[in-house]
Amino acid sequence: MYGPERQQEILRLAREAGRVEVLSLADRFQVTAETVRRDLTALDRAGLVRRVHGGAIPAGRLDFEPDLTEREGTAADEKGRIAAAALTQLPDGGSIVLDAGSTVARLAAGIPADTALTVVTHALPVAARLAGHTGIELHLVGGRVRHRTRAAVDAWALRAYAEIRADVLFLAVNGFCPDRGLSTPDLAEAAVKRAAIGAARRVVLLADSAKAGREHFARFASFTEVDLLITDTGLAPEQQAAIEAAGTEVVLV
């Protein structure tokens, strides 16, 4: 089977099943896993599928939300560089809000031991990483915990963010578009993100470039509300220019 024929069959399988896995495709077509990854990359670049950890999903599934394990394994190198760059944005002895997201969790893990900060978060994985940090005054926002993201949502979380004013919010996102803004699959999660934006004087978005151009069901902000985007060098120049035109500073790492 020629490459284009195999890719067409992969696309058919993805649309029928909602997801395809690299190893199962390699076994099905009797090719190497690397060949399948190249096929998926070609389909991703054509806008027909979206690469996820271990495979791909049809590009049209805007409601798809990978679980925590998948997100942590996707674009790991890029997320590491973004988190390291975000450390320079920590206020000296001030207060921050840490959103629920795998890149933000990497930032939390990288906060130096001698740092003195007040930290507010509704993300259980972030709180777990910082609970033993003696220099941090940690405030955990409560609410209903979503299984996929381990994040607190709904009325309790919204009320908590309405009562504070932090120096910096480190924000996570599932997808962003220069013109249509920031989005996530879940309405409850979007509401908490919107409340967290309102609770901070400065908003720093941490997002790898694979999320550029992705649009999900629940829109929660525009780039006019974001002061700084830290992303990787995969961001297209035209996308960077459009984001900067909205007044957002862009740092590529």
Side-chain angles (χ1 to χ4, degrees), residues 17-51:
R19 180 186 175 103
V20 288
E21 304 287 344
V22 169
L23 296 181
S24 62
L25 290 174
D27 182 65
R28 181 187 184 97
F29 296 114
Q30 292 298 292
V31 296
T32 65
E34 186 56 38
T35 296
V36 172
R37 291 188 185 97
R38 286 197 295 268
D39 288 336
L40 295 180
T41 297
L43 290 168
D44 183 273
R45 288 174 177 168
L48 298 172
V49 303
R50 175 186 171 191
R51 291 295 307 275

Side-chain angles (χ1 to χ4, degrees), residues 195-215:
I197 289 171
R201 298 180 183 87
R202 177 173 168 81
V203 177
V204 177
L205 175 63
L206 310 183
D208 61 86
S209 65
K211 295 173 181 175
R214 308 290 188 194
E215 190 174 11

